């Protein structure tokens, strides 16, 4: 799904979710967000298109996450995690994010009355995830959550065996596309990029090429499959990115990784990164997306903005009556 690029100011404090001038920007108040979100939810139950960007990421996180959360280079939209949790779990269920970053999945789970745990490789992000969980509890969240520090490719060495077959839902996203990460600000020397790295440890999955990333992610999903209960679901969000003008098909690599991990793809949905206003998409592109599209169009390539993330949904293989996986 794509949208024609709109103008944006490169010096906006969060260019991954820039302001939209005029009508769209005026509609991003919390009251208007609730109005549009409630109206769409009533119409869209069971549809494969998730209206998860009716308000910008900063509006979704404001007051709900600690300010330091903005430093992470690739934060999942809270509405994506919340939609998955609401669609695939019940109160009291256990939710896992094996690459939890600042803890978006965990925060949305505990606010929804679910229990959750996450794995995070980088101490900087796991500390912020802990702070976000405490903040959620201060706001009255009733679920329990915790963060385990470690390498999720060795998931079963980090998680108590008692949790085997206990997880109702996995929600996660692999790292991707360093060219789309980070924030920018204007300076006398031009545009300066910052907060664009997962960390300095080259053991981080984020620093592998696509093949290495897919291999590591398959290991992570294999661990998730061991923890998943019968009837449980794995939800992975991913989007393609461009490298030297060519599209890198991360969603297809994720599907292949899931198959190698012993999971079965069951759905392929779309989580919008654009708002729906009167039947049209209001794009919220990053500075980097706009830059790539403008360069491509200047070169005669009719490129459009990517206005969604793929949501890839997996389940365990079916079992025969004896309980043996088919």
């Amino acid at each position: 799904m794509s949208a024609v690029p709109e103008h944006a100011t490169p010096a906006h404090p969060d260019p991954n979710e820039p302001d939209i001038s005029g009508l769209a920007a005026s509609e991003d108040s919390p009251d208007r967000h609730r109005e549009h979100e409630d109206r769409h939810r009533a119409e869209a139950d069971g549809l494969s298109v998730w209206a998860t960007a009716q308000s910008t990421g900063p509006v979704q996180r404001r007051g709900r996450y600690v300010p330091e959360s903005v430093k992470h280079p690739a934060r999942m939209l809270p509405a994506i995690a919340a939609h998955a949790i609401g669609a695939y779990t019940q109160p009291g269920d256990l939710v896992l994010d094996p690459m939890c970053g600042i803890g978006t999945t965990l925060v949305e789970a505990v606010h929804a009355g679910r229990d959750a745990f996450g794995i995070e490789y980088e101490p900087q992000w796991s500390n912020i995830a802990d702070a976000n969980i405490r903040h959620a509890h201060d706001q009255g969240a009733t679920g329990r959550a915790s963060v385990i520090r470690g390498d999720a490719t060795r998931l079963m060495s980090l998680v108590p065996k008692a949790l085997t077959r206990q997880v109702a839902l996995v929600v996660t996203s692999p790292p991707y596309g360093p060219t789309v990460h980070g924030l920018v600000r204007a300076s006398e020397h031009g545009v300066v990029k910052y907060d664009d790295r997962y960390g300095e440890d080259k053991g981080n999955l984020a620093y592998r090429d696509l093949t290495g990333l897919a291999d590591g992610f398959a290991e992570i999903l294999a661990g998730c499959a061991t923890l998943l209960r019968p009837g449980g679901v794995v939800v992975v969000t991913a989007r393609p990115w461009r490298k030297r003008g060519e599209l890198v098909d991360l969603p297809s690599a994720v599907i292949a990784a899931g198959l190698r991990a012993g999971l079965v793809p069951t759905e392929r949905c779309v989580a919008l990164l654009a708002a729906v206003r009167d039947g049209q998409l209001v794009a919220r592109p990053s500075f980097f997306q706009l830059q790539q599209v403008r360069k491509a169009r200047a070169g005669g390539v009719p490129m459009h903005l990517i206005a969604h993330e793929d949501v890839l949904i997996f389940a365990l293989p079916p079992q025969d009556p004896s309980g043996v996986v088919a």
Side-chain angles (χ1 to χ4, degrees):
M1 184 170 293
S2 62
V4 177
E6 298 183 318
H7 64 278
T9 304
H12 187 270
D14 189 348
N16 285 307
E17 294 137 335
D19 278 337
I20 300 298
S21 61
L23 177 62
S26 71
E27 289 184 348
D28 273 331
S29 69
D31 289 342
R32 293 302 296 268
H33 168 50
R34 282 192 292 270
E35 173 191 334
H36 284 281
E37 185 180 61
D38 290 344
R39 182 177 67 186
H40 185 86
R41 183 183 295 114
E43 298 171 352
D45 285 348
L47 296 183
S48 61
V49 178
W50 301 2
T52 47
Q54 293 295 79
S55 62
T56 63
V59 170
Q60 291 184 27
R61 297 186 190 93
R62 188 176 301 148
R64 195 172 178 91
Y65 292 78
V66 299
E68 294 79 11
S69 300
V70 72
K71 295 181 177 295
H72 194 282
R75 304 169 302 283
M76 182 183 291
L77 277 178
I80 294 179
H83 186 107
I85 291 162
Y88 296 107
T89 66
Q90 298 295 324
D93 281 347
L94 182 61
V95 178
L96 163 64
D97 187 342
M99 306 183 74
C100 72
I102 62 167
T104 301
T105 298
L106 313 186
V107 169
E108 298 307 316
V110 298
H111 273 296
R114 279 66 165 172
D115 295 333
F117 69 101
I119 313 297
E120 175 51 41
Y121 187 84
E122 297 286 349
Q124 177 184 2
W125 310 130
S126 65
N127 289 339
I128 293 176
D130 280 336
N132 279 324
I133 293 167
R134 290 193 298 271
H135 185 58
H137 288 148
D138 289 343
Q139 293 183 317
T142 57
R144 299 168 297 174
S146 62
V147 181
I148 301 170
R149 281 76 170 170
D151 183 351
T153 62
R154 299 193 292 272
L155 186 60
M156 295 310 298
S157 69
L158 302 173
V159 176
K161 293 193 185 306
L163 293 181
T164 299
R165 298 287 178 250
Q166 298 301 308
V167 172
L169 173 67
V170 176
V171 181
T172 198
S173 179
Y176 53 84
T179 58
V180 304
H181 288 161
L183 308 179
V184 295
R185 61 171 173 262
S187 75
E188 59 182 8
H189 304 294
V191 173
V192 177
K193 189 176 181 179
Y194 65 102
D195 287 343
D196 59 340
R197 300 177 67 83
Y198 286 93
E200 301 302 324
D201 187 339
K202 298 304 179 183
N204 193 313
L205 201 62
Y207 296 110
R208 298 187 187 183
D209 61 14
L210 182 61
T211 300
L213 172 59
D215 289 345
F217 200 61
E219 294 179 85
I220 293 172
L221 291 179
C224 292
T226 301
L227 296 172
L228 204 64
R229 75 184 187 191
V233 172
V234 176
V235 173
V236 181
T237 67
R239 71 176 95 162
W241 74 86
R242 295 189 183 274
K243 185 174 183 179
R244 292 188 287 275
E246 295 186 2
L247 198 66
V248 179
D249 189 4
L250 179 60
S252 292
V254 168
I255 292 174
L259 290 168
R260 286 157 53 197
L263 295 167
V264 177
T266 59
E267 299 178 69
R268 186 164 186 169
C269 299
V270 164
L272 292 179
L273 302 175
V276 180
R277 298 286 188 263
D278 299 321
Q280 297 184 343
L281 294 183
V282 179
R284 294 196 175 104
S286 73
F287 168 78
F288 309 108
Q289 287 176 301
L290 284 174
Q291 185 182 51
Q292 288 181 341
V293 170
R294 286 168 175 163
K295 285 181 178 179
R297 290 192 169 192
V301 179
M303 185 184 295
H304 283 66
L305 291 168
I306 296 171
H308 73 282
E309 290 205 24
D310 288 67
V311 184
L312 310 169
I313 299 167
F314 302 86
L316 293 172
Q319 295 181 338
D320 67 25
S322 67
V324 178
V325 174

